[in-house]
PDB file of all heavy atoms in Angstrom:
ATOM      1  N   ASP N  28      58.365 -13.953  21.853  1.00 98.00           N
ATOM      2  CA  ASP N  28      57.543 -14.835  21.035  1.00 98.00           C
ATOM      3  C   ASP N  28      58.475 -15.924  20.536  1.00 98.00           C
ATOM      4  O   ASP N  28      59.429 -15.653  19.791  1.00 98.00           O
ATOM      5  CB  ASP N  28      56.983 -14.008  19.871  1.00 98.00           C
ATOM      6  CG  ASP N  28      56.202 -14.847  18.883  1.00 98.00           C
ATOM      7  OD1 ASP N  28      56.258 -16.094  18.930  1.00 98.00           O
ATOM      8  OD2 ASP N  28      55.523 -14.225  18.032  1.00 98.00           O
ATOM      9  N   ILE N  29      58.216 -17.148  20.918  1.00 98.00           N
ATOM     10  CA  ILE N  29      59.149 -18.252  20.639  1.00 98.00           C
ATOM     11  C   ILE N  29      59.349 -18.462  19.133  1.00 98.00           C
ATOM     12  O   ILE N  29      60.414 -18.944  18.717  1.00 98.00           O
ATOM     13  CB  ILE N  29      58.685 -19.556  21.344  1.00 98.00           C
ATOM     14  CG1 ILE N  29      59.851 -20.527  21.502  1.00 98.00           C
ATOM     15  CG2 ILE N  29      57.510 -20.196  20.625  1.00 98.00           C
ATOM     16  CD1 ILE N  29      59.582 -21.665  22.461  1.00 98.00           C
ATOM     17  N   GLY N  50      46.994 -21.151  20.904  1.00 97.00           N
ATOM     18  CA  GLY N  50      48.160 -20.786  21.706  1.00 97.00           C
ATOM     19  C   GLY N  50      49.461 -20.861  20.941  1.00 97.00           C
ATOM     20  O   GLY N  50      49.529 -20.492  19.759  1.00 97.00           O
ATOM     21  N   VAL N  51      50.473 -21.355  21.601  1.00 98.00           N
ATOM     22  CA  VAL N  51      51.807 -21.389  21.012  1.00 98.00           C
ATOM     23  C   VAL N  51      51.829 -22.356  19.815  1.00 98.00           C
ATOM     24  O   VAL N  51      52.550 -22.130  18.837  1.00 98.00           O
ATOM     25  CB  VAL N  51      52.857 -21.728  22.097  1.00 98.00           C
ATOM     26  CG1 VAL N  51      52.802 -23.177  22.553  1.00 98.00           C
ATOM     27  CG2 VAL N  51      54.253 -21.351  21.615  1.00 98.00           C
ATOM     28  N   LEU N 133      56.357 -22.125  28.088  1.00 98.00           N
ATOM     29  CA  LEU N 133      55.947 -22.602  29.416  1.00 98.00           C
ATOM     30  C   LEU N 133      54.848 -23.646  29.207  1.00 98.00           C
ATOM     31  O   LEU N 133      53.646 -23.329  29.212  1.00 98.00           O
ATOM     32  CB  LEU N 133      55.465 -21.420  30.265  1.00 98.00           C
ATOM     33  CG  LEU N 133      56.461 -20.248  30.361  1.00 98.00           C
ATOM     34  CD1 LEU N 133      55.890 -19.139  31.223  1.00 98.00           C
ATOM     35  CD2 LEU N 133      57.803 -20.723  30.873  1.00 98.00           C
ATOM     36  N   SER N 135      52.088 -26.340  29.119  1.00 98.00           N
ATOM     37  CA  SER N 135      50.860 -26.616  29.891  1.00 98.00           C
ATOM     38  C   SER N 135      50.304 -25.428  30.670  1.00 98.00           C
ATOM     39  O   SER N 135      49.261 -25.571  31.312  1.00 98.00           O
ATOM     40  CB  SER N 135      51.055 -27.788  30.869  1.00 98.00           C
ATOM     41  OG  SER N 135      50.983 -29.035  30.218  1.00 98.00           O
ATOM     42  N   THR N 136      50.982 -24.277  30.643  1.00 98.00           N
ATOM     43  CA  THR N 136      50.517 -23.169  31.503  1.00 98.00           C
ATOM     44  C   THR N 136      49.497 -22.274  30.834  1.00 98.00           C
ATOM     45  O   THR N 136      49.086 -21.263  31.420  1.00 98.00           O
ATOM     46  CB  THR N 136      51.688 -22.295  31.998  1.00 98.00           C
ATOM     47  OG1 THR N 136      52.245 -21.589  30.880  1.00 98.00           O
ATOM     48  CG2 THR N 136      52.766 -23.129  32.670  1.00 98.00           C
ATOM     49  N   GLY N 137      49.072 -22.613  29.622  1.00 97.00           N
ATOM     50  CA  GLY N 137      48.039 -21.827  28.942  1.00 97.00           C
ATOM     51  C   GLY N 137      46.689 -22.518  29.073  1.00 97.00           C
ATOM     52  O   GLY N 137      46.166 -22.689  30.185  1.00 97.00           O
ATOM     53  N   VAL N 138      46.183 -22.980  27.963  1.00 97.00           N
ATOM     54  CA  VAL N 138      44.881 -23.655  27.914  1.00 97.00           C
ATOM     55  C   VAL N 138      44.843 -24.878  28.836  1.00 97.00           C
ATOM     56  O   VAL N 138      43.799 -25.191  29.416  1.00 97.00           O
ATOM     57  CB  VAL N 138      44.561 -24.059  26.449  1.00 97.00           C
ATOM     58  CG1 VAL N 138      43.293 -24.919  26.383  1.00 97.00           C
ATOM     59  CG2 VAL N 138      44.387 -22.830  25.591  1.00 97.00           C
ATOM     60  N   TYR N 139      45.976 -25.556  29.004  1.00 98.00           N
ATOM     61  CA  TYR N 139      46.003 -26.764  29.835  1.00 98.00           C
ATOM     62  C   TYR N 139      46.002 -26.481  31.337  1.00 98.00           C
ATOM     63  O   TYR N 139      45.939 -27.405  32.154  1.00 98.00           O
ATOM     64  CB  TYR N 139      47.176 -27.657  29.444  1.00 98.00           C
ATOM     65  CG  TYR N 139      46.937 -28.463  28.170  1.00 98.00           C
ATOM     66  CD1 TYR N 139      45.766 -28.316  27.436  1.00 98.00           C
ATOM     67  CD2 TYR N 139      47.875 -29.390  27.715  1.00 98.00           C
ATOM     68  CE1 TYR N 139      45.547 -29.046  26.266  1.00 98.00           C
ATOM     69  CE2 TYR N 139      47.660 -30.126  26.561  1.00 98.00           C
ATOM     70  CZ  TYR N 139      46.490 -29.954  25.835  1.00 98.00           C
ATOM     71  OH  TYR N 139      46.269 -30.694  24.693  1.00 98.00           O
TER      72      TYR N 139
HETATM   73  P1  LIG U  28      49.104 -25.571  26.707  1.00 63.69           P
HETATM   74  O1  LIG U  28      47.938 -26.178  25.990  1.00 63.69           O
HETATM   75  O2  LIG U  28      50.271 -26.538  26.835  1.00 63.69           O
HETATM   76  O3  LIG U  28      48.734 -24.919  27.992  1.00 63.69           O
HETATM   77  P2  LIG U  28      49.274 -22.940  25.380  1.00 63.69           P
HETATM   78  O4  LIG U  28      49.768 -22.658  24.004  1.00 63.69           O
HETATM   79  O5  LIG U  28      47.841 -22.663  25.675  1.00 63.69           O
HETATM   80  O6  LIG U  28      49.664 -24.482  25.662  1.00 63.69           O
HETATM   81  O7  LIG U  28      50.154 -22.165  26.441  1.00 63.69           O
HETATM   82  C1  LIG U  28      51.464 -22.507  26.807  1.00 63.69           C
HETATM   83  C2  LIG U  28      52.243 -21.241  27.094  1.00 63.69           C
HETATM   84  O8  LIG U  28      52.691 -20.679  25.884  1.00 63.69           O
HETATM   85  C3  LIG U  28      51.451 -20.157  27.811  1.00 63.69           C
HETATM   86  O9  LIG U  28      52.253 -19.660  28.879  1.00 63.69           O
HETATM   87  C4  LIG U  28      51.255 -19.097  26.735  1.00 63.69           C
HETATM   88  O10 LIG U  28      51.214 -17.788  27.297  1.00 63.69           O
HETATM   89  C5  LIG U  28      52.502 -19.270  25.925  1.00 63.69           C
HETATM   90  N1  LIG U  28      52.506 -18.778  24.531  1.00 63.69           N
HETATM   91  C6  LIG U  28      51.462 -18.571  23.706  1.00 63.69           C
HETATM   92  N2  LIG U  28      51.920 -18.134  22.499  1.00 63.69           N
HETATM   93  C7  LIG U  28      53.275 -18.053  22.593  1.00 63.69           C
HETATM   94  C8  LIG U  28      54.331 -17.643  21.713  1.00 63.69           C
HETATM   95  N3  LIG U  28      54.089 -17.226  20.472  1.00 63.69           N
HETATM   96  N4  LIG U  28      55.616 -17.691  22.199  1.00 63.69           N
HETATM   97  C9  LIG U  28      55.883 -18.129  23.439  1.00 63.69           C
HETATM   98  N5  LIG U  28      54.945 -18.519  24.295  1.00 63.69           N
HETATM   99  C10 LIG U  28      53.653 -18.471  23.890  1.00 63.69           C
END
Side-chain angles (χ1 to χ4, degrees):
D28 175 348
I29 201 166
V51 72
L133 307 180
S135 281
T136 68
V138 173
Y139 282 3

